[in-house]
Amino acid sequence: MSDDIPANLEERLRQREQLQRHALATVPTVQVRISGNLPNTPLVAAIVAFLLGSIFCFGLLMFLGWLSSYWWTTYQLGFFIAAWSAFHFGEFAVTAGWNLEKCSVESFLLDNGSMYHIANGSAILEYIITLYFVPSFKTRTSVSILGMIMVLLGQFMRSTAMKHASTNFSHSLAFKKLENHRLVTDGIYAWCRHPSYAGFFYWALGTQFVLQNPVCFILYFVLLWRFFYTRTRTEERTLIKFFGDDYIEYRDRVGTKIPFVP
């Protein structure tokens, strides 16, 4: 009887390890930040993905003009809604496909702090109020088209950066160097030092061009610049500890492509 207990325990541990490595598992195999605000299970991941897909379809129908019954169902707001839902789904999808060891429900980035949701809510509020009282302020189609291009390019930059960095990418700052952590300086990283940050920076500003929100555009620019300036300084101090002169040489050679963030 006593001989069976260790064997059963070992078998349970082996099964648990296999489960964590399963493609549908949402339990990271390395240490990452888990807030716990959403249950970290495949069921919740599936529900969130379904809801984001539904929101994307709603936004897409608005963008295509198939839901034009109301004054507020414009192509601009439709694009914003579709881009927002696609961004969050893409964060999880790219993590699951190229960085499975860090994948969890948190990878959707929906629990991204109260300021993030306030910013999105403020953008929609400014758009709706202006559209209702001064609709002529939302008629510059070329500005919205420019914003769409920025959103698509920003999304491409961020997703490409996450895919190329693979397991070297993390949504949260890493202060402990993992054994397989290497300095990525090729691909898109040969052109931009922080392509995931730059991608989101232009993605977010692009959404405000699409909505033609002058107030939120200025606020987005200031807040995002401040956030990424502080974050890159903190992250790069850690990267210098990890990689020493190799990172210093890389930092001096490749810029961030974010204005006023050297």
Side-chain angles (χ1 to χ4, degrees), residues 28 30 32 95 99-104 107 167-170 178:
V30 297
V32 295
T95 303
N99 196 5
L100 184 59
E101 65 180 28
K102 297 186 182 77
C103 187
S104 70
S107 301
T167 57
N168 299 286
F169 182 88
S170 177
L178 301 177

Side-chain angles (χ1 to χ4, degrees), residues 193-204:
R193 195 163 78 245
H194 293 287
S196 66
Y197 296 163
F200 183 80
F201 181 83
Y202 292 111
W203 179 93

Side-chain angles (χ1 to χ4, degrees), residues 69-124:
S69 303
Y70 303 96
W71 61 270
W72 54 269
T73 54
T74 64
Y75 77 94
Q76 297 158 327
L77 186 59
F79 185 90
F80 175 82
I81 292 172
W84 178 87
S85 56
F87 169 80
H88 287 286
F89 176 78
E91 292 293 295
F92 182 87
V94 174
T95 303
W98 285 268
N99 196 5
L100 184 59
E101 65 180 28
K102 297 186 182 77
C103 187
S104 70
V105 171
E106 303 284 335
S107 301
F108 283 108
L109 285 192
L110 288 170
D111 189 15
N112 208 17
S114 59
M115 284 302 298
Y116 174 75
H117 298 297
I118 291 173
N120 284 309
S122 299
I124 294 175

Side-chain angles (χ1 to χ4, degrees), residues 210-228:
V210 171
L211 296 177
Q212 299 179 34
N213 283 345
V215 176
C216 279
F217 178 86
I218 295 172
L219 291 175
Y220 271 43
F221 185 93
V222 173
L223 293 175
L224 285 170
W225 178 87
R226 181 180 178 183
F227 173 79
F228 285 127

Side-chain angles (χ1 to χ4, degrees), residues 40-95:
N40 190 31
T41 65
L43 175 61
V44 172
I47 292 173
V48 172
F50 173 78
L51 292 175
L52 287 174
S54 300
I55 294 171
F56 174 83
C57 290
F58 176 70
L60 181 63
L61 291 175
M62 287 178 59
F63 174 72
L64 295 175
W66 294 353
L67 293 176
S68 57
S69 303
Y70 303 96
W71 61 270
W72 54 269
T73 54
T74 64
Y75 77 94
Q76 297 158 327
L77 186 59
F79 185 90
F80 175 82
I81 292 172
W84 178 87
S85 56
F87 169 80
H88 287 286
F89 176 78
E91 292 293 295
F92 182 87
V94 174
T95 303

Side-chain angles (χ1 to χ4, degrees), residues 246-258:
D246 288 341
Y247 188 81
I248 294 175
E249 187 276 331
Y250 172 66
R251 181 194 63 186
D252 295 340
R253 177 168 47 87
V254 180
T256 65
K257 302 302 185 291
I258 299 175

